[in-house]
């Protein structure tokens, strides 16, 4: 399995521990002490996943996730959270995070989730090589489905989408199902990454 695990945590002991764990199963890793150093040091062409502490100084994990989404970076994120961070983790999942683990976590559990995220990243990158096919899938959405999809990508809950668009929650659920089917994705995280990558590519061409 190819790909690098990018570990972003302000605690050196945690970075070293996760890096050592990854090496023990033959997975390369790089470590960063904060969000800004990751943003400065990451090459978007590199495949892999991010293991990210949700609570970081200055720019926290959620802010980094939003910045990655804004830049169209497609790396799946596994959030590491503390006991009181479940609401933040839910928000992160709505914004397209691949997974989250609560401290203290089991090493084998982290390895399994990392391997799953690396496989998802490889799958999405393979899909993105066929951007024209992805654009055709997106263009097959109805105007209403595209409205709903755009709200899904920003992390809005069904209830919020329903209120804003004047729909019932059940109608939003049906639109979501049709969107996932037409885009041929199995998770919200995949949809977010593909959607943002398409938007980023088109914005670059327009400049």
């Amino acid at each position: 399995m190819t790909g690098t695990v990018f570990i972003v945590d302000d605690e050196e002991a945690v970075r070293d521990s996760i890096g050592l764990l990854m090496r023990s199963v033959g997975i390369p890793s790089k470590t960063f002490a904060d969000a800004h150093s990751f943003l400065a040091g990451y090459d978007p062409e590199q495949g892999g996943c991010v293991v990210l502490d949700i609570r970081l100084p200055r720019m926290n994990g959620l802010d980094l996730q939003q910045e990655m989404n804004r830049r169209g970076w497609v790396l799946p994120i596994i959030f590491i959270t503390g006991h009181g961070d479940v609401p933040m983790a839910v928000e992160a999942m709505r914004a397209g995070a691949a997974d989250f683990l609560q401290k203290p976590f089991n090493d084998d559990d982290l390895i399994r989730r990392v391997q799953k995220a690396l496989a998802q990243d490889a799958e999405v990158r393979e899909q993105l090589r066929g951007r024209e096919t992805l654009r055709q899938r997106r263009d097959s959405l109805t105007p209403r489905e595209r409205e709903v999809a755009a709200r899904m990508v920003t992390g809005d809950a069904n209830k919020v989408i329903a209120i804003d668009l004047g729909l019932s929650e059940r109608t939003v659920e049906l639109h979501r199902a049709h969107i996932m089917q037409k885009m041929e994705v199995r998770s919200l995280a995949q949809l977010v990454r593909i959607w943002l990558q398409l938007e980023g590519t088109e914005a670059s061409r327009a400049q």
Side-chain angles (χ1 to χ4, degrees), residues 127 130-139 184 198:
Q127 290 176 330
R131 285 187 175 89
E132 185 56 38
T133 299
L134 293 174
R135 276 192 286 270
Q136 290 173 358
R137 291 177 189 168
R138 186 193 57 189
D139 292 345
E184 297 185 25
L198 285 173

Side-chain angles (χ1 to χ4, degrees), residues 140-152:
S140 73
L141 301 178
T142 66
R144 178 63 86 187
E145 287 168 350
R146 290 188 67 158
E147 280 187 303
V148 172
R151 299 300 185 94
M152 291 169 62

Side-chain angles (χ1 to χ4, degrees), residues 9 31 34 59 62 78 80 96 101 146 172 200:
D9 197 297
T31 61
D34 55 50
M59 177 185 254
L62 290 178
I78 301 170
I80 303 298
L101 270 176
R146 290 188 67 158
V172 172

Side-chain angles (χ1 to χ4, degrees), residues 186-204:
R186 293 194 295 270
S187 70
L188 176 60
Q190 282 186 305
L191 176 67
V192 169
R193 293 163 64 204
I194 289 171
W195 195 274
L196 292 174
Q197 186 71 12
L198 285 173
E199 286 190 345
T201 300
E202 290 166 358
S204 297

